Amino acid sequence: MRTPGALAVLLLCSIAGSCQPAASIDSGWGSAAPATQVVEEIEVPPPPFTEGVFPCSDCHDPEIPTNMRRRKMKTAHQEIELRHDQEHRWCLDCHSAVDHDKLHLASGELIDFTESYKLCGQCHGDKYRDWRAGVHGRRSGSWDGHKTYLLCVNCHNAHAPAFQPLEPESAPWRPHGGSQ
Amino acid sequence: MNETDSSRREFLCALAGCAAALAGSCSEITHTPFFQKRFRELSGEERAGILADLVTEQSERFGKQVTLTAEGAREGVLFGYALDISRCVGCRRCVYACVEENNQSRDPQLHWIRVLEMEKEKGIDFAHADAYYEAETVPRPGHFYLPVSCQQCENPPCVKSCPVGATWKEPDGIVVIDYDWCIGCRCCMSACPYGARHFNWGEPRIPDEELNPNMHYLGNRPRMKGVVEKCTFCIQRVRNGRYPACVEVCPVGARKFGNLLDPSSEVRYVLEHKRVFVLKNELNTRPRFFYFYGL
Amino acid sequence: MNSIRLFARFALDSARILGRGNWLYWAWLLALLCVIGAGALAWVHQAQAGLVTSNMRDQVSWAFYIGNFTFLVGVAAAAVLLVIPAYVYDWKPIKEVVILGELLAISSIAMCGLFVTADVGRPERLWHLIPVIGNLNLPNSILAWDVLVLNGYGGLNLLIVTYLLFSLHAGRSPNKKIFLPLVLLSIPAAISIHTVTAFLYNGMPARPFWNTSILVPRFLASAFCSGPAVLIVLMQLLRRFSRFEIQNEAIWKVAELMSYAMALNLLLLGAEVFKEYYSNTEHLIHMRYMFTGVGGSTAIVPWMWLSVGASIAAFLLFLVPWTRRNPLTLNLGCALIWAGVYLEKGMGLVIPGMTPDTLGEIYEYFPSRNELWIAAGIFSFGFLLFTLMVKVATPIMLGEFQRPGTKLVH
């Protein structure tokens, strides 16, 4: 299972999750977000993969066993810098070594990338609860009716989830009409 | 009662023909009939007439077709707002989304939302707050951000102080202003403890192409100089089920909005599960705008 | 019918008096008209561009105009300082000049009205304040009450003065049954205008500098020491330029009453200063802004100290009988007290109340040129009105001017 090939595929998938173009956060959420996949009752947009990295099995051969040893990536996925409890965790704690197109929960249960919130919710239970209630993160829709959710990874880079500082809009003019 | 009112109104209108023409001859964004009564007291027919006139006028002036409604409050709805100050990063995107949605004047500049930067060490301390902060990126270390706009108080001091009753609290909780009745005395601005009301000191200017054509009479229709305006919770949106513009645009999801009377609403969840506070609690204004710590 | 004809005669004769005067009179009128003209031009500019021509902004949304309005309400209330000794105590020396107080009240109310008109954003909508045809928000809005009591007081004084002059002109004594109740009514009316104006500020918890009960007695005290200053000067002028025999006692008594009012005013100011500085809460910042400035913002500080200094100096000048009686120091005292109270009430109440604003921002306000010109124009209008009314009233009161064929009755 833990073959270099499988690992390469794994790394490719990581690229998909890691490359959050800066525009993805601000891209068009002012209007109703496109919600193409309905999973359970939670409507979320598609996971923000980089082009071409999904499905991971395009590179990772499921026949070849995955190398489970924790090590630094050299041939692929090496640009991913893990800043997410990196002391205790590494790639395969979230990404499935069995099926590279899926993630896995602590129980071993495999989940799709479209349900990645379940994985995040394992450790971040309070955030998950708030997210389900609509209080963590942004939602689009109507206050009195249909609302859509965003995936955790739509705002947080799974490999380095800390929110990056933004450039602020300009300050208000001081009274007397002049700008700063 | 209505008939006497309307016949009296017609008589006065006839008398005021010249005066109205004079009043309308100044180039303003909206033309108010001189003797138009307070919006609350107008009959459905009179309102429809006024709305139709305004639509024609504004469509011509801005070169695009506008829609203007006077949608009333829905039953069983009391709007509430919750803002997560542990999340706000002070990016000011809400300020400018509001400007665009609500047709605020660009020059002279008028903002309904004011984001205050404060120091974490000092806590909520208005005397040392700064609305004019500039930074490469926000949040700046050691600082937190408090956006302030109309709190839509349950016990609004502004409504009490208005000498002509041009501002009042709607049944769904939004404090509104009839821009055609306001005399511009600014009593309400002195009475507001949150600096939430703003005055059109000069003639407001909006570029034609930036006009938001979906308007509400008591909300985002273009105002004229000499009247007061303020946040209306995007009345043109929320009465049609949509979120206010600031809620939708916030990139960190710090803003929550909903119906306080609906137990399953987000804002009720916040009130029940989070540490919530209001500004200037001791003044007993009972705001419907809550600040909370989400983290 | 007869009364109407008599009144028409009275109006015509009054117009004739106005047309007669020496070069000083005409020069004075001309000067006033020039300033009124300049003020009117400034007003037109403001009407076209909006209140942006002032230096008021959201952070300081009430300033020079409202400050002047507040000061003039006090001046209008000061007429009562003459009315009480004249009619309640029946003190003859003042009884002859009490009408001057009422004329001052009328001019002041007129100026108040003009300042409010200059200050509102949509003056053509002021009819919204009229009950029934507009919508006057009673009982909640204090400004609505203010509109009522100010117009009521102005109207009352106008009625009193017109009735008195008309009666004297027609050669008959005013009917005491009508006249006296009206005059006595003007006493609580005068107290009410200033109390309600104080309530306007007092009733705003958003502004902690104003939200204090001491504002009501402070307003009354400062009203009673400022308005009569004009009357003292006027009485001396009338004594010089007309045959009005005003006894020194009248003038000195007014000055003495002013000194007691100023004593109370200073005491109340002292009480406020103690409360703020000793309690040392966050609200101290408004008073600190006044007296020492905050951060680099000190523009208002010298004016406030000037106000305190002038008030104390005036108090002493009026208190000491020798300086009270000396014409030079008396008039100096009048100027000082006028300046002191004008700065204290006009600028020293409104501006620090709004600085820093409710969100802690400090915007340093100073009146713009346009505001100053409009204010000057309004003051000139008030002086003009006062001059014209005194010009008509003086000969009538002296009995020199009556409808031909009537006997002198006083």
Side-chain angles (χ1 to χ4, degrees):
Chain A
M1 283 293 193
R2 296 166 196 214
T3 61
L7 229 48
V9 175
L10 195 65
L11 283 166
L12 277 171
C13 286
S14 309
I15 293 174
S18 76
C19 296
Q20 303 279 328
S24 75
I25 292 170
D26 285 334
S27 58
W29 294 132
S31 45
T36 57
Q37 272 139 307
V38 181
V39 185
E40 297 178 325
E41 73 284 7
I42 301 178
E43 208 178 313
V44 289
F49 289 126
T50 322
E51 267 220 41
V53 300
F54 192 80
C56 312
S57 46
D58 280 356
C59 291
H60 289 267
D61 184 350
E63 299 298 317
I64 305 169
T66 313
N67 180 357
M68 303 296 281
R69 196 171 48 84
R70 180 172 181 163
R71 65 210 178 279
K72 207 161 155 39
M73 297 293 124
K74 289 212 186 66
T75 47
H77 302 309
Q78 60 267 43
E79 71 288 349
I80 295 177
E81 201 191 320
L82 190 64
R83 281 199 303 272
H84 192 177
D85 197 20
Q86 61 273 24
E87 225 187 285
H88 308 109
R89 309 250 170 263
W90 82 304
C91 322
L92 292 180
D93 285 307
C94 293
H95 290 275
S96 169
V98 168
D99 179 352
H100 291 95
D101 287 333
K102 292 204 197 289
L103 302 160
H104 73 91
L105 300 178
S107 61
E109 182 191 334
L110 295 179
I111 56 166
D112 282 319
F113 277 98
T114 51
E115 294 172 303
S116 52
Y117 50 84
K118 286 187 186 168
L119 173 57
C120 310
Q122 279 185 137
C123 293
H124 304 285
D126 54 343
K127 304 285 185 292
Y128 179 64
R129 254 202 316 277
D130 285 348
W131 176 80
R132 286 292 292 266
V135 164
H136 181 110
R138 239 185 52 201
R139 296 175 80 180
S140 301
S142 340
W143 58 266
D144 67 344
H146 181 68
K147 302 177 194 30
T148 60
Y149 288 89
L150 293 172
L151 284 170
C152 315
V153 295
N154 283 123
C155 293
H156 299 279
N157 178 340
H159 305 122
F163 226 87
Q164 295 307 301
L166 300 171
E167 193 189 323
E169 305 261 3
S170 45
W173 298 348
R174 286 192 186 268
H176 267 293
S179 52
Q180 316 295 94
Chain B
M1 185 61 174
N2 243 349
E3 277 179 7
T4 331
D5 275 345
S6 53
S7 69
R8 190 193 299 149
R9 182 167 171 263
E10 279 162 21
F11 171 69
L12 288 171
C13 273
L15 271 182
C18 302
L22 265 172
S25 65
C26 338
S27 55
E28 291 178 1
I29 288 185
T30 62
H31 164 83
T32 311
F34 193 73
F35 279 108
Q36 179 178 308
K37 271 205 149 317
R38 224 164 54 118
F39 194 67
R40 270 175 129 173
E41 292 152 20
L42 297 173
S43 70
E45 225 177 80
E46 287 168 323
R47 287 190 193 193
I50 288 168
L51 293 179
D53 284 340
L54 278 172
V55 167
T56 318
E57 197 185 291
Q58 308 223 27
S59 300
E60 269 169 26
R61 201 214 171 269
F62 287 100
K64 49 167 96 162
Q65 190 55 39
V66 313
T67 55
L68 186 64
T69 67
E71 182 113 18
R74 244 186 266 174
E75 273 220 39
V77 172
L78 183 65
F79 290 120
Y81 205 114
L83 197 146
D84 189 346
I85 66 165
S86 65
R87 294 226 153 72
C88 176
V89 292
C91 67
R92 293 198 185 106
R93 282 165 182 50
C94 51
V95 176
Y96 292 96
C98 173
V99 166
E100 279 177 27
E101 170 69 28
N102 290 295
N103 293 322
Q104 287 155 43
S105 171
R106 309 303 197 258
D107 181 9
Q109 192 193 64
L110 211 147
H111 289 165
W112 287 356
I113 301 175
R114 210 160 176 78
V115 183
L116 299 174
E117 185 188 60
M118 303 189 184
E119 285 172 52
K120 286 188 177 167
E121 256 188 38
K122 292 204 165 92
I124 305 271
D125 177 8
F126 288 111
H128 294 100
D130 182 16
Y132 301 100
Y133 62 93
E134 301 252 50
E136 289 256 333
T137 56
V138 282
R140 292 207 292 181
H143 291 88
F144 70 97
Y145 299 87
L146 191 82
V148 182
S149 51
C150 177
Q151 313 279 294
Q152 316 289 357
C153 307
E154 199 59 27
N155 179 20
C158 56
V159 169
K160 204 162 56 167
S161 69
C162 178
V164 291
T167 185
W168 65 89
K169 195 169 175 65
E170 288 273 297
D172 56 1
I174 306 179
V175 178
V176 297
I177 302 171
D178 182 356
Y179 307 118
D180 289 326
W181 193 254
C182 172
I183 62 174
C185 70
R186 307 188 297 290
C187 224
C188 56
M189 288 176 69
S190 295
C192 175
Y194 307 105
R197 297 178 79 106
H198 307 277
F199 189 69
N200 282 288
W201 298 100
E203 191 67 48
R205 279 192 278 267
I206 311 169
D208 288 0
E209 66 275 10
E210 291 178 31
L211 181 83
N212 174 7
N214 303 315
M215 305 175 189
H216 191 287
Y217 184 87
L218 293 169
N220 65 337
R221 66 174 168 118
R223 280 69 70 189
M224 62 292 287
K225 75 167 168 355
V227 298
V228 174
E229 57 180 67
K230 65 174 191 66
C231 165
T232 56
F233 274 177
C234 282
I235 196 173
Q236 67 279 0
R237 284 178 162 237
V238 303
R239 284 191 173 169
N240 286 319
R242 297 173 67 195
Y243 281 114
C246 48
V247 174
E248 283 196 348
V249 86
C250 176
V252 300
R255 289 171 171 270
K256 301 293 158 203
F257 179 85
N259 179 6
L260 286 170
L261 300 178
D262 172 8
S264 64
S265 68
E266 294 155 342
V267 75
R268 275 287 284 270
Y269 180 93
V270 166
L271 289 178
E272 280 161 32
H273 295 102
K274 300 293 174 192
R275 291 173 289 155
V276 174
F277 70 95
V278 297
L279 289 179
K280 307 204 184 189
N281 193 35
E282 71 280 6
L283 298 182
N284 198 31
T285 52
R286 299 201 295 280
R288 285 290 159 261
F289 196 108
F290 303 97
Y291 292 89
F292 69 102
Y293 296 102
L295 285 173
Chain C
M1 216 39 208
N2 194 27
S3 289
I4 296 180
R5 222 178 284 145
L6 279 174
F7 193 82
R9 193 63 204 273
F10 164 63
L12 222 63
D13 286 345
S14 303
R16 233 178 267 144
I17 301 178
L18 292 176
R20 280 189 254 140
N22 62 3
W23 72 270
L24 208 61
Y25 170 69
W26 290 111
W28 174 239
L29 285 194
L30 187 65
L32 288 176
L33 284 169
C34 285
V35 180
I36 292 174
L41 280 176
W43 196 314
V44 167
H45 180 46
Q46 182 183 281
Q48 286 174 334
L51 281 162
V52 70
T53 55
S54 75
N55 274 348
M56 291 188 280
R57 295 292 176 264
D58 284 354
Q59 289 81 351
V60 176
S61 52
W62 273 352
F64 195 53
Y65 294 146
I66 297 295
N68 279 306
F69 163 81
T70 313
F71 174 69
L72 287 169
V73 170
V75 171
V80 87
L81 207 64
L82 295 186
V83 169
I84 292 181
Y87 287 97
V88 177
Y89 292 100
D90 212 21
W91 199 52
K92 193 137 195 317
I94 284 205
K95 205 158 181 179
E96 289 154 1
V97 293
V98 70
I99 193 173
L100 298 175
E102 284 149 1
L103 293 178
L104 181 67
I106 296 169
S107 317
S108 301
I109 297 285
M111 286 194 273
C112 287
L114 286 173
F115 270 114
V116 167
T117 312
D119 185 65
V120 296
R122 309 286 312 185
E124 79 278 10
R125 295 186 189 171
L126 280 172
W127 66 269
H128 294 181
L129 286 165
I130 304 173
V132 179
I133 61 172
N135 181 62
L136 195 61
N137 186 14
L138 294 169
N140 284 325
S141 166
I142 303 296
L143 192 57
W145 283 108
D146 218 8
V147 166
L148 275 187
V149 294
L150 281 172
N151 282 301
Y153 180 70
L156 183 64
N157 272 300
L158 196 59
L159 189 65
I160 290 171
V161 160
T162 312
Y163 180 63
L164 177 65
L165 293 178
F166 169 59
S167 307
L168 291 177
H169 174 263
R172 47 187 191 220
S173 212
N175 184 347
K176 280 214 157 58
K177 286 214 193 82
I178 303 173
F179 189 67
L180 214 55
L182 283 179
V183 169
L184 291 175
L185 183 61
S186 77
I187 300 173
I191 310 285
S192 80
I193 60 170
H194 226 8
T195 308
V196 174
T197 308
F199 281 165
L200 180 63
Y201 291 100
N202 191 356
M204 294 204 178
R207 309 284 173 179
F209 188 66
W210 296 342
N211 187 217
T212 159
S213 356
I214 210 175
L215 220 55
V216 172
R218 261 191 91 184
F219 268 36
L220 289 170
S222 61
F224 294 152
C225 55
S226 56
V230 177
L231 294 175
I232 289 181
V233 171
L234 179 71
M235 288 196 277
Q236 293 171 79
L237 285 172
L238 282 176
R239 208 160 49 170
R240 175 100 191 283
F241 290 109
S242 76
R243 264 164 288 220
F244 234 128
E245 266 174 45
I246 301 171
Q247 300 177 35
N248 276 334
E249 275 77 28
I251 296 178
W252 295 339
K253 185 52 94 187
V254 172
E256 190 191 337
L257 292 172
M258 280 169 70
S259 80
Y260 300 148
M262 179 48 91
L264 186 61
N265 194 27
L266 288 170
L267 172 73
L268 296 174
L269 173 66
E272 281 273 74
V273 168
F274 169 78
K275 173 238 177 189
E276 293 294 358
Y277 278 94
Y278 187 78
S279 316
N280 200 11
T281 66
E282 279 184 0
H283 297 162
L284 172 60
I285 196 167
H286 298 280
M287 194 162 273
R288 265 183 52 219
Y289 176 70
M290 265 176 87
F291 288 124
T292 55
V294 170
S297 309
T298 54
I300 208 178
V301 172
W303 299 99
M304 291 300 105
W305 284 106
L306 178 64
S307 161
V308 173
S311 301
I312 295 177
F315 165 63
L316 292 170
L317 286 177
F318 284 158
L319 185 70
V320 176
W322 186 83
T323 47
R324 190 195 311 150
R325 290 178 193 168
N326 181 319
L328 180 65
T329 49
L330 174 71
N331 287 309
L332 178 65
C334 287
L336 285 172
I337 216 171
W338 180 267
V341 178
Y342 180 75
L343 288 170
E344 177 209 321
K345 221 145 148 207
M347 298 292 276
L349 171 77
V350 183
I351 309 300
M354 296 212 144
T355 318
D357 76 351
T358 50
L359 296 180
E361 183 179 338
I362 292 186
Y363 164 65
E364 287 240 82
Y365 167 87
F366 206 79
S368 71
R369 269 214 359 222
N370 218 56
E371 284 177 281
L372 290 169
W373 272 116
I374 292 180
I378 295 176
F379 266 105
S380 301
F381 178 82
F383 288 153
L384 180 67
L385 196 63
F386 190 48
T387 307
L388 297 178
M389 288 194 292
V390 170
K391 188 100 173 55
V392 169
T394 310
I396 296 182
M397 293 300 293
L398 287 174
E400 289 173 1
F401 188 74
Q402 285 186 304
R403 194 170 57 89
T406 57
K407 234 173 30 164
L408 176 75
V409 174
H410 216 306

